[in-house]
Amino acid sequence: TTPPTAPTLSAAGTTSVSTILSWSGATDNAGIAAYEIYKDGVLLTTVSDSPYTVTGLTPSTNYNFVVKAKDASDNKSVDSNIVTVTT
């Protein structure tokens, strides 16, 4: 019933249409099952591990990303730090 700790998010390799998100530091007493990636407050995808390449972005646009860790019992962490990228 205990949620995971929040991951620490970073972005690198940003182009006009993509960025690479990576994160670390999330822990849970039962292990991390997945990570939810949010773009501008909307769930973008759920993945099993870092890193993740976000594609299909619009050039010359700001995007805010956060990640939440999720355990096998569907407990979710609080949001990671917000990472803003400009394509």
PDB file of all heavy atoms in Angstrom, residues 53-80:
ATOM      1  N   THR A  53      12.284   7.746 -25.793  1.00  0.00           N
ATOM      2  CA  THR A  53      12.354   8.805 -26.790  1.00  0.00           C
ATOM      3  C   THR A  53      10.950   9.242 -27.165  1.00  0.00           C
ATOM      4  O   THR A  53      10.152   8.438 -27.643  1.00  0.00           O
ATOM      5  CB  THR A  53      13.110   8.342 -28.045  1.00  0.00           C
ATOM      6  OG1 THR A  53      14.434   7.931 -27.676  1.00  0.00           O
ATOM      7  CG2 THR A  53      13.206   9.476 -29.070  1.00  0.00           C
ATOM      8  N   VAL A  54      10.666  10.506 -26.924  1.00  0.00           N
ATOM      9  CA  VAL A  54       9.380  11.100 -27.292  1.00  0.00           C
ATOM     10  C   VAL A  54       9.529  11.645 -28.708  1.00  0.00           C
ATOM     11  O   VAL A  54      10.434  12.444 -28.972  1.00  0.00           O
ATOM     12  CB  VAL A  54       8.984  12.236 -26.328  1.00  0.00           C
ATOM     13  CG1 VAL A  54       7.632  12.826 -26.721  1.00  0.00           C
ATOM     14  CG2 VAL A  54       8.969  11.741 -24.891  1.00  0.00           C
ATOM     15  N   THR A  55       8.657  11.212 -29.605  1.00  0.00           N
ATOM     16  CA  THR A  55       8.710  11.667 -30.993  1.00  0.00           C
ATOM     17  C   THR A  55       7.413  12.375 -31.358  1.00  0.00           C
ATOM     18  O   THR A  55       6.455  12.381 -30.591  1.00  0.00           O
ATOM     19  CB  THR A  55       8.943  10.481 -31.953  1.00  0.00           C
ATOM     20  OG1 THR A  55       7.879   9.544 -31.784  1.00  0.00           O
ATOM     21  CG2 THR A  55      10.275   9.786 -31.680  1.00  0.00           C
ATOM     22  N   GLY A  56       7.388  12.960 -32.544  1.00  0.00           N
ATOM     23  CA  GLY A  56       6.178  13.606 -33.024  1.00  0.00           C
ATOM     24  C   GLY A  56       5.911  14.959 -32.411  1.00  0.00           C
ATOM     25  O   GLY A  56       4.779  15.453 -32.438  1.00  0.00           O
ATOM     26  N   LEU A  57       6.941  15.600 -31.858  1.00  0.00           N
ATOM     27  CA  LEU A  57       6.778  16.915 -31.267  1.00  0.00           C
ATOM     28  C   LEU A  57       6.769  17.987 -32.359  1.00  0.00           C
ATOM     29  O   LEU A  57       7.235  17.760 -33.472  1.00  0.00           O
ATOM     30  CB  LEU A  57       7.898  17.183 -30.260  1.00  0.00           C
ATOM     31  CG  LEU A  57       8.007  16.181 -29.110  1.00  0.00           C
ATOM     32  CD1 LEU A  57       9.201  16.519 -28.228  1.00  0.00           C
ATOM     33  CD2 LEU A  57       6.726  16.132 -28.298  1.00  0.00           C
ATOM     34  N   THR A  58       6.261  19.141 -32.030  1.00  0.00           N
ATOM     35  CA  THR A  58       6.172  20.258 -32.972  1.00  0.00           C
ATOM     36  C   THR A  58       7.389  21.163 -32.798  1.00  0.00           C
ATOM     37  O   THR A  58       7.734  21.523 -31.661  1.00  0.00           O
ATOM     38  CB  THR A  58       4.885  21.061 -32.724  1.00  0.00           C
ATOM     39  OG1 THR A  58       3.768  20.182 -32.863  1.00  0.00           O
ATOM     40  CG2 THR A  58       4.753  22.218 -33.706  1.00  0.00           C
ATOM     41  N   PRO A  59       8.053  21.551 -33.880  1.00  0.00           N
ATOM     42  CA  PRO A  59       9.215  22.440 -33.761  1.00  0.00           C
ATOM     43  C   PRO A  59       8.863  23.765 -33.077  1.00  0.00           C
ATOM     44  O   PRO A  59       7.737  24.243 -33.162  1.00  0.00           O
ATOM     45  CB  PRO A  59       9.640  22.671 -35.221  1.00  0.00           C
ATOM     46  CG  PRO A  59       9.119  21.477 -35.961  1.00  0.00           C
ATOM     47  CD  PRO A  59       7.833  21.115 -35.265  1.00  0.00           C
ATOM     48  N   SER A  60       9.851  24.327 -32.406  1.00  0.00           N
ATOM     49  CA  SER A  60       9.747  25.640 -31.740  1.00  0.00           C
ATOM     50  C   SER A  60       8.600  25.700 -30.739  1.00  0.00           C
ATOM     51  O   SER A  60       7.866  26.682 -30.658  1.00  0.00           O
ATOM     52  CB  SER A  60       9.594  26.751 -32.783  1.00  0.00           C
ATOM     53  OG  SER A  60      10.683  26.735 -33.682  1.00  0.00           O
ATOM     54  N   THR A  61       8.454  24.622 -29.966  1.00  0.00           N
ATOM     55  CA  THR A  61       7.371  24.517 -28.985  1.00  0.00           C
ATOM     56  C   THR A  61       7.935  24.084 -27.637  1.00  0.00           C
ATOM     57  O   THR A  61       8.850  23.262 -27.580  1.00  0.00           O
ATOM     58  CB  THR A  61       6.319  23.493 -29.460  1.00  0.00           C
ATOM     59  OG1 THR A  61       5.861  23.869 -30.760  1.00  0.00           O
ATOM     60  CG2 THR A  61       5.138  23.423 -28.511  1.00  0.00           C
ATOM     61  N   ASN A  62       7.390  24.636 -26.552  1.00  0.00           N
ATOM     62  CA  ASN A  62       7.759  24.216 -25.200  1.00  0.00           C
ATOM     63  C   ASN A  62       6.865  23.073 -24.748  1.00  0.00           C
ATOM     64  O   ASN A  62       5.647  23.119 -24.951  1.00  0.00           O
ATOM     65  CB  ASN A  62       7.614  25.372 -24.210  1.00  0.00           C
ATOM     66  CG  ASN A  62       8.613  26.476 -24.440  1.00  0.00           C
ATOM     67  OD1 ASN A  62       9.723  26.240 -24.907  1.00  0.00           O
ATOM     68  ND2 ASN A  62       8.228  27.693 -24.111  1.00  0.00           N
ATOM     69  N   TYR A  63       7.464  22.082 -24.126  1.00  0.00           N
ATOM     70  CA  TYR A  63       6.722  20.954 -23.558  1.00  0.00           C
ATOM     71  C   TYR A  63       7.193  20.729 -22.130  1.00  0.00           C
ATOM     72  O   TYR A  63       8.387  20.832 -21.833  1.00  0.00           O
ATOM     73  CB  TYR A  63       6.972  19.673 -24.359  1.00  0.00           C
ATOM     74  CG  TYR A  63       6.422  19.710 -25.759  1.00  0.00           C
ATOM     75  CD1 TYR A  63       7.242  20.061 -26.824  1.00  0.00           C
ATOM     76  CD2 TYR A  63       5.104  19.379 -26.016  1.00  0.00           C
ATOM     77  CE1 TYR A  63       6.752  20.088 -28.121  1.00  0.00           C
ATOM     78  CE2 TYR A  63       4.598  19.403 -27.312  1.00  0.00           C
ATOM     79  CZ  TYR A  63       5.431  19.759 -28.362  1.00  0.00           C
ATOM     80  OH  TYR A  63       4.940  19.785 -29.634  1.00  0.00           O
ATOM     81  N   ASN A  64       6.254  20.396 -21.246  1.00  0.00           N
ATOM     82  CA  ASN A  64       6.560  20.049 -19.861  1.00  0.00           C
ATOM     83  C   ASN A  64       6.321  18.559 -19.665  1.00  0.00           C
ATOM     84  O   ASN A  64       5.242  18.056 -19.974  1.00  0.00           O
ATOM     85  CB  ASN A  64       5.685  20.837 -18.895  1.00  0.00           C
ATOM     86  CG  ASN A  64       5.976  22.315 -18.949  1.00  0.00           C
ATOM     87  OD1 ASN A  64       7.128  22.725 -18.874  1.00  0.00           O
ATOM     88  ND2 ASN A  64       4.946  23.123 -19.085  1.00  0.00           N
ATOM     89  N   PHE A  65       7.324  17.880 -19.135  1.00  0.00           N
ATOM     90  CA  PHE A  65       7.229  16.442 -18.898  1.00  0.00           C
ATOM     91  C   PHE A  65       7.406  16.133 -17.420  1.00  0.00           C
ATOM     92  O   PHE A  65       8.207  16.772 -16.729  1.00  0.00           O
ATOM     93  CB  PHE A  65       8.318  15.694 -19.668  1.00  0.00           C
ATOM     94  CG  PHE A  65       8.149  15.738 -21.163  1.00  0.00           C
ATOM     95  CD1 PHE A  65       8.835  16.678 -21.914  1.00  0.00           C
ATOM     96  CD2 PHE A  65       7.309  14.854 -21.809  1.00  0.00           C
ATOM     97  CE1 PHE A  65       8.690  16.727 -23.290  1.00  0.00           C
ATOM     98  CE2 PHE A  65       7.150  14.902 -23.182  1.00  0.00           C
ATOM     99  CZ  PHE A  65       7.846  15.841 -23.923  1.00  0.00           C
ATOM    100  N   VAL A  66       6.662  15.148 -16.940  1.00  0.00           N
ATOM    101  CA  VAL A  66       6.875  14.559 -15.620  1.00  0.00           C
ATOM    102  C   VAL A  66       6.726  13.048 -15.758  1.00  0.00           C
ATOM    103  O   VAL A  66       6.112  12.548 -16.708  1.00  0.00           O
ATOM    104  CB  VAL A  66       5.909  15.085 -14.527  1.00  0.00           C
ATOM    105  CG1 VAL A  66       6.071  16.569 -14.319  1.00  0.00           C
ATOM    106  CG2 VAL A  66       4.484  14.742 -14.841  1.00  0.00           C
ATOM    107  N   VAL A  67       7.282  12.329 -14.804  1.00  0.00           N
ATOM    108  CA  VAL A  67       7.187  10.873 -14.758  1.00  0.00           C
ATOM    109  C   VAL A  67       6.695  10.469 -13.382  1.00  0.00           C
ATOM    110  O   VAL A  67       7.053  11.095 -12.377  1.00  0.00           O
ATOM    111  CB  VAL A  67       8.560  10.224 -15.055  1.00  0.00           C
ATOM    112  CG1 VAL A  67       8.534   8.728 -14.820  1.00  0.00           C
ATOM    113  CG2 VAL A  67       8.997  10.517 -16.475  1.00  0.00           C
ATOM    114  N   LYS A  68       5.868   9.432 -13.346  1.00  0.00           N
ATOM    115  CA  LYS A  68       5.447   8.821 -12.088  1.00  0.00           C
ATOM    116  C   LYS A  68       5.854   7.353 -12.110  1.00  0.00           C
ATOM    117  O   LYS A  68       5.697   6.675 -13.129  1.00  0.00           O
ATOM    118  CB  LYS A  68       3.925   8.898 -11.914  1.00  0.00           C
ATOM    119  CG  LYS A  68       3.391  10.286 -11.693  1.00  0.00           C
ATOM    120  CD  LYS A  68       1.891  10.248 -11.469  1.00  0.00           C
ATOM    121  CE  LYS A  68       1.323  11.643 -11.296  1.00  0.00           C
ATOM    122  NZ  LYS A  68      -0.123  11.613 -11.035  1.00  0.00           N
ATOM    123  N   ALA A  69       6.348   6.871 -10.983  1.00  0.00           N
ATOM    124  CA  ALA A  69       6.646   5.452 -10.836  1.00  0.00           C
ATOM    125  C   ALA A  69       5.399   4.736 -10.329  1.00  0.00           C
ATOM    126  O   ALA A  69       4.609   5.303  -9.572  1.00  0.00           O
ATOM    127  CB  ALA A  69       7.800   5.251  -9.860  1.00  0.00           C
ATOM    128  N   LYS A  70       5.238   3.493 -10.772  1.00  0.00           N
ATOM    129  CA  LYS A  70       4.057   2.711 -10.385  1.00  0.00           C
ATOM    130  C   LYS A  70       4.523   1.325  -9.960  1.00  0.00           C
ATOM    131  O   LYS A  70       5.357   0.709 -10.632  1.00  0.00           O
ATOM    132  CB  LYS A  70       3.112   2.641 -11.580  1.00  0.00           C
ATOM    133  CG  LYS A  70       1.784   1.989 -11.294  1.00  0.00           C
ATOM    134  CD  LYS A  70       0.782   2.251 -12.411  1.00  0.00           C
ATOM    135  CE  LYS A  70       1.079   1.455 -13.637  1.00  0.00           C
ATOM    136  NZ  LYS A  70      -0.043   1.453 -14.607  1.00  0.00           N
ATOM    137  N   ASP A  71       3.973   0.829  -8.838  1.00  0.00           N
ATOM    138  CA  ASP A  71       4.341  -0.524  -8.407  1.00  0.00           C
ATOM    139  C   ASP A  71       3.294  -1.540  -8.862  1.00  0.00           C
ATOM    140  O   ASP A  71       2.308  -1.182  -9.515  1.00  0.00           O
ATOM    141  CB  ASP A  71       4.588  -0.581  -6.898  1.00  0.00           C
ATOM    142  CG  ASP A  71       3.359  -0.313  -6.047  1.00  0.00           C
ATOM    143  OD1 ASP A  71       2.224  -0.412  -6.564  1.00  0.00           O
ATOM    144  OD2 ASP A  71       3.538  -0.014  -4.844  1.00  0.00           O
ATOM    145  N   ALA A  72       3.515  -2.794  -8.535  1.00  0.00           N
ATOM    146  CA  ALA A  72       2.640  -3.871  -9.006  1.00  0.00           C
ATOM    147  C   ALA A  72       1.230  -3.771  -8.446  1.00  0.00           C
ATOM    148  O   ALA A  72       0.291  -4.329  -9.024  1.00  0.00           O
ATOM    149  CB  ALA A  72       3.250  -5.226  -8.660  1.00  0.00           C
ATOM    150  N   SER A  73       1.058  -3.060  -7.343  1.00  0.00           N
ATOM    151  CA  SER A  73      -0.270  -2.874  -6.763  1.00  0.00           C
ATOM    152  C   SER A  73      -0.958  -1.619  -7.288  1.00  0.00           C
ATOM    153  O   SER A  73      -1.988  -1.207  -6.762  1.00  0.00           O
ATOM    154  CB  SER A  73      -0.159  -2.792  -5.236  1.00  0.00           C
ATOM    155  OG  SER A  73       0.371  -3.983  -4.721  1.00  0.00           O
ATOM    156  N   ASP A  74      -0.386  -1.008  -8.295  1.00  0.00           N
ATOM    157  CA  ASP A  74      -0.910   0.203  -8.939  1.00  0.00           C
ATOM    158  C   ASP A  74      -0.835   1.432  -8.040  1.00  0.00           C
ATOM    159  O   ASP A  74      -1.550   2.395  -8.247  1.00  0.00           O
ATOM    160  CB  ASP A  74      -2.326  -0.006  -9.469  1.00  0.00           C
ATOM    161  CG  ASP A  74      -2.648   0.933 -10.624  1.00  0.00           C
ATOM    162  OD1 ASP A  74      -1.735   1.259 -11.407  1.00  0.00           O
ATOM    163  OD2 ASP A  74      -3.813   1.366 -10.736  1.00  0.00           O
ATOM    164  N   ASN A  75       0.040   1.399  -7.028  1.00  0.00           N
ATOM    165  CA  ASN A  75       0.322   2.600  -6.257  1.00  0.00           C
ATOM    166  C   ASN A  75       1.250   3.468  -7.085  1.00  0.00           C
ATOM    167  O   ASN A  75       2.213   2.966  -7.667  1.00  0.00           O
ATOM    168  CB  ASN A  75       1.010   2.256  -4.929  1.00  0.00           C
ATOM    169  CG  ASN A  75       0.136   1.416  -4.046  1.00  0.00           C
ATOM    170  OD1 ASN A  75      -1.004   1.765  -3.777  1.00  0.00           O
ATOM    171  ND2 ASN A  75       0.668   0.294  -3.589  1.00  0.00           N
ATOM    172  N   LYS A  76       0.969   4.766  -7.137  1.00  0.00           N
ATOM    173  CA  LYS A  76       1.780   5.670  -7.940  1.00  0.00           C
ATOM    174  C   LYS A  76       2.516   6.664  -7.059  1.00  0.00           C
ATOM    175  O   LYS A  76       1.992   7.120  -6.044  1.00  0.00           O
ATOM    176  CB  LYS A  76       0.896   6.430  -8.935  1.00  0.00           C
ATOM    177  CG  LYS A  76       0.225   5.533  -9.944  1.00  0.00           C
ATOM    178  CD  LYS A  76      -0.698   6.317 -10.846  1.00  0.00           C
ATOM    179  CE  LYS A  76      -1.498   5.369 -11.730  1.00  0.00           C
ATOM    180  NZ  LYS A  76      -2.474   6.093 -12.561  1.00  0.00           N
ATOM    181  N   SER A  77       3.705   7.013  -7.497  1.00  0.00           N
ATOM    182  CA  SER A  77       4.477   8.033  -6.803  1.00  0.00           C
ATOM    183  C   SER A  77       3.879   9.406  -7.089  1.00  0.00           C
ATOM    184  O   SER A  77       3.038   9.564  -7.976  1.00  0.00           O
ATOM    185  CB  SER A  77       5.935   8.010  -7.279  1.00  0.00           C
ATOM    186  OG  SER A  77       6.038   8.499  -8.607  1.00  0.00           O
ATOM    187  N   VAL A  78       4.336  10.384  -6.356  1.00  0.00           N
ATOM    188  CA  VAL A  78       4.035  11.758  -6.726  1.00  0.00           C
ATOM    189  C   VAL A  78       4.824  12.066  -7.987  1.00  0.00           C
ATOM    190  O   VAL A  78       5.711  11.306  -8.395  1.00  0.00           O
ATOM    191  CB  VAL A  78       4.386  12.742  -5.584  1.00  0.00           C
ATOM    192  CG1 VAL A  78       3.543  12.452  -4.353  1.00  0.00           C
ATOM    193  CG2 VAL A  78       5.868  12.699  -5.254  1.00  0.00           C
ATOM    194  N   ASP A  79       4.528  13.192  -8.609  1.00  0.00           N
ATOM    195  CA  ASP A  79       5.231  13.585  -9.828  1.00  0.00           C
ATOM    196  C   ASP A  79       6.731  13.737  -9.582  1.00  0.00           C
ATOM    197  O   ASP A  79       7.154  14.189  -8.519  1.00  0.00           O
ATOM    198  CB  ASP A  79       4.718  14.926 -10.345  1.00  0.00           C
ATOM    199  CG  ASP A  79       3.295  14.856 -10.876  1.00  0.00           C
ATOM    200  OD1 ASP A  79       2.735  13.752 -10.973  1.00  0.00           O
ATOM    201  OD2 ASP A  79       2.753  15.929 -11.200  1.00  0.00           O
ATOM    202  N   SER A  80       7.491  13.393 -10.613  1.00  0.00           N
ATOM    203  CA  SER A  80       8.909  13.744 -10.614  1.00  0.00           C
ATOM    204  C   SER A  80       9.029  15.257 -10.724  1.00  0.00           C
ATOM    205  O   SER A  80       8.021  15.976 -10.814  1.00  0.00           O
ATOM    206  CB  SER A  80       9.599  13.097 -11.824  1.00  0.00           C
ATOM    207  OG  SER A  80       9.141  13.722 -13.032  1.00  0.00           O
TER     208      SER A  80
END
